[in-house]
Amino acid sequence: MPAAISVENLFASYDGKTVLNDVSFSIPRGASFALLGPNGAGKTTLVSILCTLRLPDRGTARISDFDVVRQPTKARETIGVVFQDSSLDDRLSAWENLEFHGLVHGLAPRLRRQRAEDVLALVELTEWSDEIVRSFSGGMRRRLEIARALMHQPTILFLDEPTVGLDPQTRQRIWSYLERLRREQHLTVLTTTHYIEEVESADQVCIIDHGQIIVQGTPADLKAAHGSRWLHVVPRDEATATEIAARYPQVQRLGTALALPVPDDAMADAFLATYRTRLEEIRFQEPTLESVFLSLTGRELRDRADGQRDAQRNAGRRGGQR
Ligand SMILES: Nc1ncnc2c1ncn2[C@@H]1O[C@H](COP(=O)(O)OP(=O)(O)OP(=O)(O)O)[C@@H](O)[C@H]1O
C-alpha cells in the first residue's frame, strides 16, 4: 500500500534563501507524525507545499499517491488542513462556517447537513452550533477548525502548530481530541509544533532545523539513540555551586539547581563521591526529546525569541476575541 505522504529531495526557497534543503520522509497510512522544530525551521513552508498552496523549487511530494504539483486537485480532495492562524469567519455561527466549507468542497445540501452535524458532535460543539464564533474561546475555535477540516471526509489531516497560543490545559484537550479522531476516523495526522512535550505520543517524530531533517524515529528510539541523561543537583551553598560550575564546564544553571550531562555511570559516581555531602537535592533525569534536540543541534529548542513570539501571538489572538 502506498504511503499516505511521501516526500523526496524537496527544496524550497524565498528570495534566493533556501528554507527547505533536500527534505525526504515517508508517513504510513494511519500514523501520527510530528514535525518538530524551532520557529523558522521550515515547517509551515513544508506543510504549504504538501497542501498544494505553494510549489517546491525541486523534488517530489505525493499525498495519497497523488503528486502535489501535477495532480493538486486530487491531492487536495484527500486532505484537511488546520492553519496556524485562525481562518474562521467570526461573524458567522459555527454551523455557517461549516456550511460554507461544505459548499466550497461541492458537498450536496443533505450531505453537508449530515457532515456538519457529525463533525460538530465529534468535537463536542453541537450545542454551540448556532452561536457566533466571536463568542468562542481559543480552544473552542480550534475544535471548530478541526471539525471544519474534517467536513469533506479527508483521510489525511494537517495541523500547523494547532495549539500555539492556548493554555496548557486546552492544549492537552486538543491533543486528546486529535488522538481520538485519529483512531476513530482512521486518519493520518501530520502536526507541526515547537512544543516538545506535545510530540511524546506521536508514532513518529521528525526533527527539522534550518530546513533540514535532522532525524526521524519513534520518540523512544530517538531518546535511546541521541538523548543524554542529566543529573540535577541543588548545592548547599554558592561556593559549592561555583566550584562545580568551574570543574564541569557543560553544567547548566536552572535557578538554584545545576544540571550536568551524565555520559556514563563513572562520571556520576565520581561526581557524587566528591559532592554528595554538599548537596541538598540529587535527582537523575532520564533522556527527553529536549535532550535529543540539544545533542543533535547544540541548542535548546525554545529560545527567548520563541517565548516572545508566543506572547505576541497570544496577545494578538486575545485581542481578536471577546
Ligand atoms: N513569505 C515569505 N517570504 C520570505 N521569507 C519567508 C516567507 N515565509 C517564510 N519565510 C522564511 O522561511 C523560513 C522558514 O519559515 P517557515 O514559516 O516555513 O518556518 P516554521 O518552522 O513554520 O516557523 P514558524 O513556526 O515560525 O512559522 C524562515 O526563515 C522564514 O523567515
Side-chain angles (χ1 to χ4, degrees):
M1 193 191 278
I5 302 173
S6 83
V7 174
E8 276 176 40
N9 310 111
L10 212 61
F11 288 80
S13 59
Y14 289 107
D15 309 321
K17 183 183 153 215
T18 301
V19 296
L20 290 180
N21 191 353
D22 204 6
V23 168
S24 302
F25 61 85
S26 156
I27 307 177
R29 282 168 199 244
S32 68
F33 186 88
L35 196 59
L36 176 73
N39 289 133
K43 305 182 295 295
T44 300
T45 307
L46 180 55
V47 169
S48 306
I49 293 172
L50 298 179
C51 297
T52 75
L53 298 172
R54 210 205 111 101
L55 291 173
D57 293 355
R58 265 190 290 148
T60 56
R62 297 183 79 79
I63 299 292
S64 313
D65 216 24
F66 297 116
D67 186 295
V68 295
V69 177
R70 285 182 286 122
Q71 301 160 287
T73 311
K74 292 237 179 257
R76 217 175 293 142
E77 279 165 11
T78 71
I79 62 173
V81 189
V82 177
F83 295 104
Q84 199 170 117
D85 291 312
S86 174
S87 57
L88 294 168
D89 188 330
D90 66 3
R91 296 161 303 176
L92 301 181
S93 68
W95 182 269
E96 287 165 337
N97 269 281
L98 297 177
E99 270 271 303
F100 183 68
H101 185 86
L103 267 174
V104 170
H105 276 269
L107 304 188
R110 247 179 75 188
L111 179 59
R112 224 161 50 222
R113 262 196 312 279
Q114 185 59 55
R115 287 301 299 155
E117 277 172 16
D118 289 351
V119 294
L120 278 173
L122 273 176
V123 298
E124 296 175 36
L125 284 176
T126 303
E127 61 194 87
W128 294 83
S129 163
D130 296 327
E131 299 294 326
I132 299 294
V133 169
R134 196 176 303 138
S135 67
F136 283 18
S137 68
M140 288 164 74
R141 284 172 189 238
R142 280 277 114 158
R143 276 150 56 198
L144 180 58
E145 287 182 310
I146 293 168
R148 184 181 59 175
L150 297 174
M151 267 294 278
H152 56 289
Q153 294 183 287
T155 53
I156 304 174
L157 187 61
F158 288 97
L159 302 113
D160 193 7
E161 302 258 8
T163 57
V164 83
L166 300 177
D167 61 78
Q169 205 184 352
T170 311
R171 275 164 50 190
Q172 208 170 22
R173 199 150 166 230
I174 294 286
W175 284 109
S176 56
Y177 269 114
L178 288 173
E179 189 43 38
R180 185 165 62 76
L181 289 178
R182 184 172 76 85
R183 272 187 279 111
E184 290 175 4
Q185 310 286 306
H186 309 292
L187 288 169
T188 306
V189 178
L190 184 153
T191 324
T192 78
T193 184
H194 66 276
Y195 293 125
I196 217 149
E197 66 278 13
E198 294 190 339
V199 306
E200 287 284 351
S201 59
D203 295 333
Q204 288 277 313
V205 177
C206 184
I207 297 183
I208 181 168
D209 193 28
H210 297 304
Q212 284 187 305
I213 303 284
I214 301 175
V215 76
Q216 181 186 338
T218 66
D221 288 348
L222 296 187
K223 283 187 253 184
H226 305 283
S228 50
R229 235 171 132 214
W230 290 78
L231 178 57
H232 289 244
V233 298
V234 178
R236 285 194 192 285
D237 49 53
E238 186 50 38
T240 306
T242 309
E243 189 182 315
I244 294 172
R247 196 155 158 197
Y248 295 90
Q250 322 87 316
V251 81
Q252 290 192 6
R253 277 188 183 258
L254 310 167
T256 54
L258 298 176
L260 293 106
V262 181
D264 50 41
D265 288 348
M267 175 267 162
D269 291 347
F271 174 84
L272 291 174
T274 311
Y275 291 107
R276 186 185 295 275
T277 56
R278 294 158 68 187
L279 302 173
E280 266 176 18
E281 276 178 44
I282 301 168
R283 177 171 63 85
F284 282 97
Q285 193 187 328
E286 293 311 311
T288 60
L289 284 170
E290 186 72 55
S291 68
V292 171
F293 190 84
L294 185 66
S295 73
L296 290 171
T297 66
R299 287 181 291 116
E300 290 199 295
L301 181 61
R302 298 199 60 180
D303 54 22
R304 261 186 69 228
D306 289 348
Q308 283 168 354
R309 200 173 144 163
D310 275 0
Q312 280 167 2
R313 273 182 172 152
N314 288 347
R317 289 215 163 124
R318 275 196 296 273
Q321 291 169 22
R322 231 174 33 166

